[in-house]
Short mmCIF file of all heavy atoms in Angstrom, two decimals:
data_model
loop_
_atom_site.label_atom_id
_atom_site.label_comp_id
_atom_site.label_asym_id
_atom_site.label_seq_id
_atom_site.Cartn_x
_atom_site.Cartn_y
_atom_site.Cartn_z
N TYR A 30 0.87 -1.17 0.00
CA TYR A 30 0.00 0.00 0.00
C TYR A 30 0.92 1.23 0.00
O TYR A 30 1.64 1.46 0.97
CB TYR A 30 -0.90 0.00 1.22
CG TYR A 30 -1.61 -1.33 1.43
CD1 TYR A 30 -1.01 -2.37 2.14
CD2 TYR A 30 -2.88 -1.56 0.91
CE1 TYR A 30 -1.65 -3.60 2.32
CE2 TYR A 30 -3.54 -2.77 1.08
CZ TYR A 30 -2.90 -3.78 1.79
OH TYR A 30 -3.54 -4.99 1.96
N ILE A 31 0.91 1.99 -1.09
CA ILE A 31 1.92 3.02 -1.27
C ILE A 31 1.36 4.43 -1.46
O ILE A 31 2.13 5.37 -1.60
CB ILE A 31 2.86 2.68 -2.45
CG1 ILE A 31 2.05 2.55 -3.75
CG2 ILE A 31 3.63 1.41 -2.16
CD1 ILE A 31 2.92 2.34 -4.99
N ASP A 32 0.04 4.59 -1.48
CA ASP A 32 -0.53 5.92 -1.63
C ASP A 32 -1.94 5.96 -1.04
O ASP A 32 -2.38 4.99 -0.41
CB ASP A 32 -0.55 6.35 -3.10
CG ASP A 32 -1.28 5.37 -4.01
OD1 ASP A 32 -2.22 4.70 -3.53
OD2 ASP A 32 -0.92 5.26 -5.20
N ALA A 33 -2.63 7.09 -1.25
CA ALA A 33 -3.95 7.28 -0.64
C ALA A 33 -5.00 6.31 -1.16
O ALA A 33 -6.07 6.18 -0.57
CB ALA A 33 -4.41 8.72 -0.85
N ASN A 34 -4.75 5.63 -2.28
CA ASN A 34 -5.67 4.59 -2.73
C ASN A 34 -5.61 3.36 -1.84
O ASN A 34 -6.55 2.57 -1.78
CB ASN A 34 -5.35 4.18 -4.17
CG ASN A 34 -5.68 5.27 -5.17
OD1 ASN A 34 -6.68 5.95 -5.04
ND2 ASN A 34 -4.82 5.45 -6.15
N GLY A 35 -4.50 3.19 -1.13
CA GLY A 35 -4.30 2.00 -0.32
C GLY A 35 -4.45 2.22 1.17
O GLY A 35 -4.64 1.26 1.92
N TYR A 36 -4.36 3.48 1.64
CA TYR A 36 -4.48 3.73 3.08
C TYR A 36 -5.09 5.11 3.33
O TYR A 36 -5.05 6.00 2.49
CB TYR A 36 -3.12 3.61 3.77
CG TYR A 36 -2.00 4.42 3.14
CD1 TYR A 36 -1.99 5.82 3.15
CD2 TYR A 36 -0.92 3.78 2.53
CE1 TYR A 36 -0.96 6.54 2.59
CE2 TYR A 36 0.12 4.50 1.96
CZ TYR A 36 0.09 5.88 1.99
OH TYR A 36 1.11 6.60 1.42
N SER A 37 -5.66 5.25 4.52
CA SER A 37 -6.24 6.53 4.93
C SER A 37 -6.39 6.54 6.45
O SER A 37 -6.09 5.55 7.12
CB SER A 37 -7.59 6.77 4.25
OG SER A 37 -8.52 5.77 4.60
N VAL A 38 -6.87 7.66 6.97
CA VAL A 38 -7.04 7.84 8.42
C VAL A 38 -8.49 7.59 8.81
O VAL A 38 -9.42 7.96 8.09
CB VAL A 38 -6.63 9.27 8.83
CG1 VAL A 38 -6.80 9.47 10.35
CG2 VAL A 38 -5.20 9.56 8.42
N ARG A 39 -8.68 6.94 9.94
CA ARG A 39 -10.02 6.75 10.50
C ARG A 39 -9.94 6.96 12.01
O ARG A 39 -9.02 6.49 12.66
CB ARG A 39 -10.55 5.34 10.19
CG ARG A 39 -11.99 5.11 10.66
CD ARG A 39 -12.44 3.69 10.38
NE ARG A 39 -13.80 3.44 10.81
CZ ARG A 39 -14.87 3.38 10.02
NH1 ARG A 39 -14.72 3.55 8.71
NH2 ARG A 39 -16.07 3.16 10.49
N VAL A 40 -10.96 7.67 12.55
CA VAL A 40 -11.09 7.85 13.99
C VAL A 40 -12.48 7.41 14.39
O VAL A 40 -13.48 7.96 13.91
CB VAL A 40 -10.85 9.32 14.41
CG1 VAL A 40 -11.11 9.49 15.90
CG2 VAL A 40 -9.42 9.75 14.09
N GLY A 41 -12.57 6.40 15.23
CA GLY A 41 -13.87 5.88 15.65
C GLY A 41 -14.67 5.41 14.45
O GLY A 41 -14.19 4.62 13.63
N ASN A 42 -15.89 5.90 14.30
CA ASN A 42 -16.75 5.52 13.18
C ASN A 42 -16.61 6.42 11.96
O ASN A 42 -17.39 6.31 11.02
CB ASN A 42 -18.22 5.53 13.65
CG ASN A 42 -18.51 4.45 14.66
OD1 ASN A 42 -17.94 3.37 14.60
ND2 ASN A 42 -19.39 4.75 15.61
N THR A 43 -15.61 7.31 11.98
CA THR A 43 -15.48 8.30 10.93
C THR A 43 -14.31 8.02 10.01
O THR A 43 -13.16 7.99 10.44
CB THR A 43 -15.32 9.71 11.55
OG1 THR A 43 -16.39 9.95 12.46
CG2 THR A 43 -15.33 10.77 10.47
N ASP A 44 -14.60 7.82 8.73
CA ASP A 44 -13.59 7.67 7.70
C ASP A 44 -13.15 9.07 7.27
O ASP A 44 -13.96 9.86 6.80
CB ASP A 44 -14.18 6.89 6.52
CG ASP A 44 -13.15 6.54 5.46
OD1 ASP A 44 -12.35 7.42 5.09
OD2 ASP A 44 -13.13 5.38 5.00
N LEU A 45 -11.87 9.38 7.42
CA LEU A 45 -11.36 10.72 7.18
C LEU A 45 -10.59 10.84 5.86
O LEU A 45 -9.81 11.78 5.68
CB LEU A 45 -10.47 11.16 8.35
CG LEU A 45 -11.17 11.23 9.71
CD1 LEU A 45 -10.15 11.41 10.82
CD2 LEU A 45 -12.18 12.35 9.73
N ALA A 46 -10.80 9.91 4.95
CA ALA A 46 -10.03 9.88 3.70
C ALA A 46 -10.15 11.17 2.91
O ALA A 46 -9.19 11.57 2.23
CB ALA A 46 -10.46 8.69 2.85
N THR A 47 -11.30 11.84 2.95
CA THR A 47 -11.50 13.04 2.13
C THR A 47 -11.01 14.32 2.80
O THR A 47 -10.92 15.35 2.14
CB THR A 47 -12.99 13.21 1.79
OG1 THR A 47 -13.74 13.36 3.00
CG2 THR A 47 -13.51 12.01 1.00
N VAL A 48 -10.70 14.26 4.09
CA VAL A 48 -10.32 15.49 4.80
C VAL A 48 -8.98 15.39 5.53
O VAL A 48 -8.58 16.34 6.20
CB VAL A 48 -11.42 15.91 5.80
CG1 VAL A 48 -12.67 16.35 5.05
CG2 VAL A 48 -11.76 14.79 6.77
N TYR A 49 -8.30 14.26 5.42
CA TYR A 49 -6.98 14.10 6.04
C TYR A 49 -6.03 13.45 5.05
O TYR A 49 -6.43 12.62 4.23
CB TYR A 49 -7.07 13.22 7.28
CG TYR A 49 -7.20 14.00 8.58
CD1 TYR A 49 -8.44 14.45 9.00
CD2 TYR A 49 -6.09 14.28 9.37
CE1 TYR A 49 -8.58 15.18 10.18
CE2 TYR A 49 -6.21 15.00 10.55
CZ TYR A 49 -7.46 15.44 10.95
OH TYR A 49 -7.57 16.15 12.11
N ARG A 50 -4.75 13.80 5.14
CA ARG A 50 -3.72 13.12 4.38
C ARG A 50 -2.62 12.67 5.33
O ARG A 50 -2.41 13.27 6.40
CB ARG A 50 -3.13 14.03 3.29
CG ARG A 50 -2.41 15.26 3.82
CD ARG A 50 -1.91 16.14 2.69
NE ARG A 50 -1.30 17.37 3.20
CZ ARG A 50 -0.02 17.49 3.52
NH1 ARG A 50 0.80 16.44 3.40
NH2 ARG A 50 0.46 18.64 3.96
N LEU A 51 -1.92 11.61 4.95
CA LEU A 51 -0.81 11.10 5.75
C LEU A 51 0.49 11.55 5.12
O LEU A 51 0.69 11.40 3.91
CB LEU A 51 -0.88 9.57 5.82
CG LEU A 51 -2.02 9.04 6.70
CD1 LEU A 51 -2.41 7.62 6.31
CD2 LEU A 51 -1.60 9.08 8.17
N SER A 52 1.37 12.11 5.93
CA SER A 52 2.62 12.67 5.42
C SER A 52 3.77 12.29 6.34
O SER A 52 3.64 12.34 7.57
CB SER A 52 2.51 14.20 5.33
OG SER A 52 3.69 14.77 4.84
N VAL A 53 4.89 11.90 5.73
CA VAL A 53 6.11 11.58 6.50
C VAL A 53 6.98 12.83 6.54
O VAL A 53 7.34 13.38 5.49
CB VAL A 53 6.88 10.40 5.86
CG1 VAL A 53 8.17 10.15 6.62
CG2 VAL A 53 6.01 9.14 5.86
N VAL A 54 7.31 13.27 7.74
CA VAL A 54 8.06 14.51 7.94
C VAL A 54 9.41 14.17 8.55
O VAL A 54 9.49 13.57 9.63
CB VAL A 54 7.29 15.47 8.87
CG1 VAL A 54 8.07 16.77 9.06
CG2 VAL A 54 5.90 15.76 8.31
N ASN A 55 10.49 14.55 7.87
CA ASN A 55 11.84 14.30 8.38
C ASN A 55 12.23 15.42 9.34
O ASN A 55 12.18 16.60 8.98
CB ASN A 55 12.84 14.23 7.23
CG ASN A 55 12.60 13.03 6.32
OD1 ASN A 55 12.30 11.95 6.80
ND2 ASN A 55 12.74 13.22 5.02
N GLN A 56 12.62 15.04 10.55
CA GLN A 56 13.08 15.99 11.54
C GLN A 56 14.57 15.76 11.81
O GLN A 56 15.16 14.82 11.29
CB GLN A 56 12.26 15.86 12.83
CG GLN A 56 10.78 16.15 12.62
CD GLN A 56 9.98 16.04 13.90
OE1 GLN A 56 10.45 15.49 14.90
NE2 GLN A 56 8.76 16.56 13.88
N ASP A 57 15.17 16.59 12.66
CA ASP A 57 16.60 16.48 12.93
C ASP A 57 16.97 15.13 13.54
O ASP A 57 17.96 14.51 13.15
CB ASP A 57 17.06 17.61 13.86
CG ASP A 57 16.99 18.98 13.18
OD1 ASP A 57 17.04 19.00 11.93
OD2 ASP A 57 16.89 19.99 13.88
N SER A 58 16.20 14.68 14.51
CA SER A 58 16.55 13.46 15.22
C SER A 58 15.50 12.38 15.11
O SER A 58 15.54 11.40 15.85
CB SER A 58 16.79 13.78 16.71
OG SER A 58 15.63 14.37 17.28
N ASP A 59 14.54 12.54 14.19
CA ASP A 59 13.45 11.58 14.08
C ASP A 59 12.77 11.76 12.73
O ASP A 59 12.95 12.77 12.06
CB ASP A 59 12.43 11.81 15.21
CG ASP A 59 11.67 10.55 15.58
OD1 ASP A 59 11.80 9.54 14.85
OD2 ASP A 59 10.95 10.56 16.59
N THR A 60 11.99 10.77 12.33
CA THR A 60 11.12 10.88 11.16
C THR A 60 9.72 10.55 11.64
O THR A 60 9.51 9.50 12.26
CB THR A 60 11.56 9.90 10.05
OG1 THR A 60 12.90 10.24 9.64
CG2 THR A 60 10.64 10.00 8.85
N VAL A 61 8.77 11.44 11.37
CA VAL A 61 7.45 11.36 12.00
C VAL A 61 6.38 11.20 10.93
O VAL A 61 6.40 11.88 9.90
CB VAL A 61 7.17 12.63 12.84
CG1 VAL A 61 5.80 12.54 13.50
CG2 VAL A 61 8.25 12.81 13.89
N LEU A 62 5.43 10.29 11.18
CA LEU A 62 4.26 10.13 10.33
C LEU A 62 3.14 10.99 10.91
O LEU A 62 2.73 10.80 12.05
CB LEU A 62 3.82 8.67 10.27
CG LEU A 62 2.53 8.36 9.51
CD1 LEU A 62 2.64 8.77 8.05
CD2 LEU A 62 2.17 6.88 9.63
N MET A 63 2.65 11.95 10.11
CA MET A 63 1.63 12.88 10.56
C MET A 63 0.32 12.66 9.80
O MET A 63 0.32 12.35 8.61
CB MET A 63 2.08 14.33 10.33
CG MET A 63 3.33 14.74 11.07
SD MET A 63 3.05 14.90 12.85
CE MET A 63 1.82 16.21 12.90
N ALA A 64 -0.80 12.83 10.51
CA ALA A 64 -2.11 12.91 9.89
C ALA A 64 -2.48 14.38 9.87
O ALA A 64 -2.64 15.01 10.93
CB ALA A 64 -3.13 12.10 10.67
N LEU A 65 -2.60 14.96 8.66
CA LEU A 65 -2.78 16.40 8.52
C LEU A 65 -4.13 16.72 7.90
O LEU A 65 -4.49 16.15 6.86
CB LEU A 65 -1.67 16.98 7.65
CG LEU A 65 -0.24 16.72 8.14
CD1 LEU A 65 0.76 17.19 7.10
CD2 LEU A 65 0.01 17.40 9.47
#
C-alpha cells in the first residue's frame, strides 16, 4: 500500500479519507508520520 488509494485515516466511526492526508516529515533526530 503506497498511496492514498491504499491507506487513509479513520477515527472511531469516521472515515477521514476526504479530509486528512498522511505525510512523512523528516526531523533532525526523528522521522514522523503525521495525519494532517
Side-chain angles (χ1 to χ4, degrees):
Y30 311 86
I31 59 175
D32 56 30
N34 291 321
Y36 51 67
S37 61
V38 180
R39 185 182 180 103
V40 175
N42 293 326
T43 307
D44 187 314
L45 298 169
T47 61
V48 292
Y49 265 83
R50 64 183 175 89
L51 288 157
S52 180
V53 177
V54 181
N55 294 320
Q56 299 181 345
D57 292 337
S58 58
D59 207 351
T60 299
V61 181
L62 175 61
M63 298 289 298
L65 303 173

